[in-house]
Each structure stands twice: as structure tokens, then as C-alpha cells.
Amino acid sequence: MARKPLALTLGISALALLWLTRAGAPIQVGEGSGPAAARSAPGTLVLDLRDDLDDGALAAFEERHGLKLELSAAASRDEALFRAEVADMAATARRLAGDADVEVVEPVVEMQALGYPDDPLWDAQWNMRQIGAPAGWSAGAGRGVTVAVLDTGITPVADLDGIAMAEGHAFVPGVESALDDHGHGTHVAGTIAQATHNGEGVAGVAPGVTLVPYKVLSAHGGGSSDRIAAAIDHAVDAGVDVINMSLGGPPSAVLTKAADAAAEAGVLVVAAAGNSGRRGLGSPADGKLVIAVGATGPKGDKAPYSTYGVGVEIAAPGGDTTVEGGGILQDTVDRDAGHAFKAFQGTSMATPHVSGALAVLLGMGVAPGAAVDVLFRTAVDVGGDGFDEIYGHGRIDLGAAVSAVVWRDRLPRFAAAALLATALGLLMGFGPGRRILMAGVAAWAAGGLFFLAWLPISPGGGLAWLAMDPMRWLGAWMGPGWTHSAWVAAAWVPLLVTFFFGLNRKLAPWVGGFALGCGVNLLSGGLDGTLAPLGGGGWAGPWLLGHAALCLMAAVAVGAALKMEYSA
């Protein structure tokens, strides 16, 4: 056996494995604003009470303060979110603030959709080119990711045909359907997931996602802070991955608290910065853990209406309808024609670009925190001075983000697995054919056919599945949480495959390569934190490293058994 090729191969393998340990710098999220002030006038107060209050304690609370409590929404009982009509909001709020059962008390705050419709236009989607959306289609298009759209509802117009859509939920009084009676929500949903490569209409950022409509804004585009907060809580309980809120208004402690709680629960919460054109964010964009999105125009710089200030994290195309062809064009509802392609502008239109981009990265198997990190790190620094209050980390570049995941994650895993499989083949004395076969299977199992992400392939085609490594398949089918489950981020499947097929002479190179590739995949996830089983706690790393060792031992066992068979 040649020692120099083996030593060289092992040395290159070690360098590839060292590459896997690199981790990007953590990104800090901006500070928020304070709650709404109560006036000395009759009105509606929102009360966020302790979650553990039972019916008896609630009755005692009502009697103690002379209040008649009403649930903000049917789904808000577990969060103890109520509203009450009072004669003097300021005096009642001061009295309630001293009660230990009260977590937040404030006047109800009205929120509005943050985008403006214009006449229907048919023009090239400059916004999709500006963010490099085609790279996301080739990288899985967000398949398996669930995005909740809290807006005026979603109507399945013609160019949303074929897009997965879960049952909708209405949080507007007197409205039972989550269908869109305004047009704003359907337009926003189209930017996220408009049907793409279907021969008609326009494209979306992540057409592989499942949309969940939450109607929180009325036919006039308005909605109340407590009911939007109740919808957030419901979406978290439903297990969504991303919450898109293309809406906003004055600061609301209740709404900000719900948005931050959703983010703490692992949901990526994205909200519009606002359309005031001035400094100072409202809610829910002012949440400390909320990704607040500013807007850029067709030239890539700040849109004139975009709100800026502390808390803006990133910018995305929001359009400028004062420029011909400068709006964001999507298919939405139309009272006369049923649906039409309309150009809107606003930070409402910018926000779904970010939600869609994050969905693409989650669908690639990137953990939520890492997805935010890579989107921030690869953003285009429009201002030229690093992080600023106008663009945050910069204007999103999904193409660059996908490439960063490929270069930093997929390619090193692919190369490390191929080199380790080659080294194992040399140690076992395999011929060139078996070494190449085992190396190819190992590389695919570790990093997928990563180079397909740079090709113009259909979002729903079979090649998009081959671009992913098989350990991400269940996540792409069932949701990204499965990628990080202890059933998938483990050695169970490679060990079963090894047990049943490892002694088959013809299949042994395939089996050994598969086990080794899965081991490298788990090792990489344990070293850089891109896999998060067991809730991502302190046991996640040891779990992944231990199961990676089991996979590698399985590969060695297959190779040794095959060598012994040939030696016999």
C-alpha cells in the first residue's frame, strides 16, 4: 500500500475537518421602545395577566378592581390576555400596575398594514434579481418550512395555485374566514411564495414553503394590538417556523412582549420597520428579538418612506411606485377582476423578502440562529460604514447567503467525507473503483450535491432534493424541526443500513460511504452548532459527536469485513 498518497489524503482530510469548526460572529439584535401611554379618558385597556391564574383567581381579580374582563381572542386564555372597558384609562392603568397578577397593562393600540397599492403593472421583478432569489429556488425553495402571515388574510389567487397553504385563522371580531378582503395580505404572501416556474404570472422568494394565513387586520387594513398578540401566541403553539408581520403602529408592550416571546421560543419573527420616513420604530418592530426590516427602492438605496433608527436589522426591496416599474409586483385580490397583478410599495413589501430568504435557509437545514447570522453577514453594505440605523446589516442578498452556506457548510463536509472515504479505502486495500464509489456516496451523504444550488433548476424538481444531503430530507418534507430531532440527527439510520446491508459485497462500498458521510455530517453539526438535537442544549454537542463516532465505526466495520472477505 502506498504510504505517501495515504498520508497526503489524511492531511487534506484533517484540514477539511478543521474548516468545519469555523463559526461566524454572533449578531446582536437592537433595542426596542416603550409601551403606549394611557390617557385620562374612557377606553379599552389590554391586560396581560399571570398565565397561571385559574378561573377563581380571575373572578377575584375582577371583583377586586371592579372590571369585566373579556378574552382578547378565543386562543388567548393560556396566555391570560384580556381586555376591559374602563371609564378612566390612565387612573385604572396606574391602579392595575401595582397588582402582582398584572404583567402588562396598556391601552389597546391600533396597527395598520404598512404598504400602499397602486395601479396594476406588468414589469420585470427587479426586486427578485436584486436579492438573488433564483439561488433560493435551486437550494430547495424553503421546502418543509412553515411561514405564518399575520395580515389581512390570504386568498388563493391564480398565481398561488399549487402553493401549500394550511388552515387559516381569523382574529378580527365578527370575521370567521382568513380570506383576504383587502389585498395587502395576499400580496405579501405572494412575495414569500408566489408559484414559480409555472409558466404564468410572477415569482416568489420561497415557493416551497407552507403558508399559514392569520387574519389580524380588517378589510380596512387595521387591527388591534392584543388580538395580533393573541395570533402570535397561536402561531407559536401551532409550531410555525417564521412569523411575517407586514404591519405596525405605535409602541405596544403587549404586542412587543408576544413577539419577543415567540422569538425566545425559536420562531423567527420578522416585522416591517414602518413607513413614516422618520427615525423611531413602533411595534412590533421594536421588539429586542424581532428582525425589523427597512425598505430599499429599485436603485438599491433607502426608499423615501422607510422608517429608520435603533432596531432596524436589515433592509430589503420595498419598492417605489413614484418610479415607473418601481413597485413590488405580485398577484393579489381585486374587487372587479377577482385578482390582478398589482405593484405596491412599503416596508410591508420589504418584510416578506426577508421572511422568504430565512425560509430558504431553514429549508437547507440551517438552524434558526445560524440562518439569521448568515443572512446578516452576507447582506450588501449599502451605507458603506458597516451597521447603521437605515439599513441595519445591509440589504439582503439571498444568493450570497446560499453561497455562504454552501462554501462554509456543504463544500467542506462534501470534501472531508470524500477524502476520509478515500483514506479508508486505501487503508483497506480497495481498488480504485471501490474507493471512488465509496468516496462519492460519502460526499453526497455529508454535503449533498451542493453544486446544484448554483444551477437554474426548478424549485419542485428531483434535482433540488439531490442538492440536499439525505439527513435533511425529512426536514424538507416534514419541517426543519425534524432535521434537528434526536431521531434524524443521530446514527440510527446509518446503523440500520449497516446492519442489514453491510455484509453484501456489492452494496458494501455504498453502505460504508453512506455511514461515513453521515458521520461527517453529524460531526460538522456538533462542531459548528448547525445541528441542534435535544433542544440545542448542553447535551447536543456530545450527542452529535457520539453518534458521529458510531457512524465512523460502522464505516470502518464495513470496510474491515469486506477486506477480510477478500483475504479469505
Side-chain angles (χ1 to χ4, degrees), residues 285-564:
D286 60 354
K288 293 181 180 180
L289 303 178
V290 174
I291 302 169
V293 183
T296 58
K299 294 182 179 180
D301 55 358
K302 177 183 175 294
Y305 51 79
S306 186
T307 300
Y308 59 94
V310 175
V312 172
E313 298 294 338
I314 200 162
D320 184 355
T321 55
T322 65
V323 178
E324 184 177 358
I328 303 299
L329 191 68
Q330 300 296 160
D331 192 7
T332 189
V333 297
D334 182 82
R335 292 180 180 178
D336 297 324
H339 81 102
F341 294 94
K342 297 184 179 182
F344 288 11
Q345 71 172 20
T347 52
S348 275
M349 284 60 255
T351 303
H353 288 84
V354 175
S355 295
L358 288 170
V360 167
L361 298 174
L362 291 177
M364 294 178 71
V366 182
V372 174
D373 179 72
V374 72
L375 197 66
F376 287 176
R377 285 190 293 107
T378 57
V380 179
D381 185 7
V382 184
D385 296 320
F387 187 90
D388 60 59
E389 293 187 350
I390 296 176
Y391 306 100
H393 293 277
R395 189 184 67 240
I396 70 164
D397 187 340
L398 179 55
V402 169
S403 293
V405 172
V406 169
W407 281 105
R408 182 183 177 279
D409 183 30
R410 299 282 185 84
L411 177 58
R413 283 193 273 127
F414 186 96
L419 291 167
L420 286 173
T422 301
L424 179 60
L426 287 169
L427 284 170
M428 298 302 172
F430 293 170
R434 289 183 181 273
R435 290 202 305 269
I436 292 173
L437 176 58
M438 188 161 65
V441 174
W444 167 72
L449 302 184
F450 67 91
F451 44 83
L452 293 179
W454 293 319
L455 301 179
I457 60 178
S458 171
L463 289 178
W465 288 91
L466 290 177
M468 293 183 284
D469 61 82
M471 297 192 77
R472 265 71 175 176
W473 283 359
L474 191 60
W477 180 37
M478 299 289 290
W482 282 91
T483 299
H484 305 281
S485 74
W487 294 103
V488 177
W492 311 127
V493 173
L495 290 177
L496 284 173
V497 171
T498 300
F499 179 80
F500 286 107
F501 304 107
L503 296 180
N504 184 301
R505 178 182 295 185
K506 293 182 179 180
L507 296 178
W510 294 82
V511 173
F514 178 73
L516 191 149
C518 289
V520 170
N521 206 328
L522 295 170
L523 178 63
S524 170
L527 292 174
D528 63 17
T530 53
L531 288 176
L534 308 177
W539 288 102
W543 171 276
L544 291 167
L545 297 178
H547 280 260
L550 290 174
C551 289
L552 296 175
M553 286 189 286
V556 171
V558 170
L562 192 61
K563 181 179 180 180
M564 289 175 60

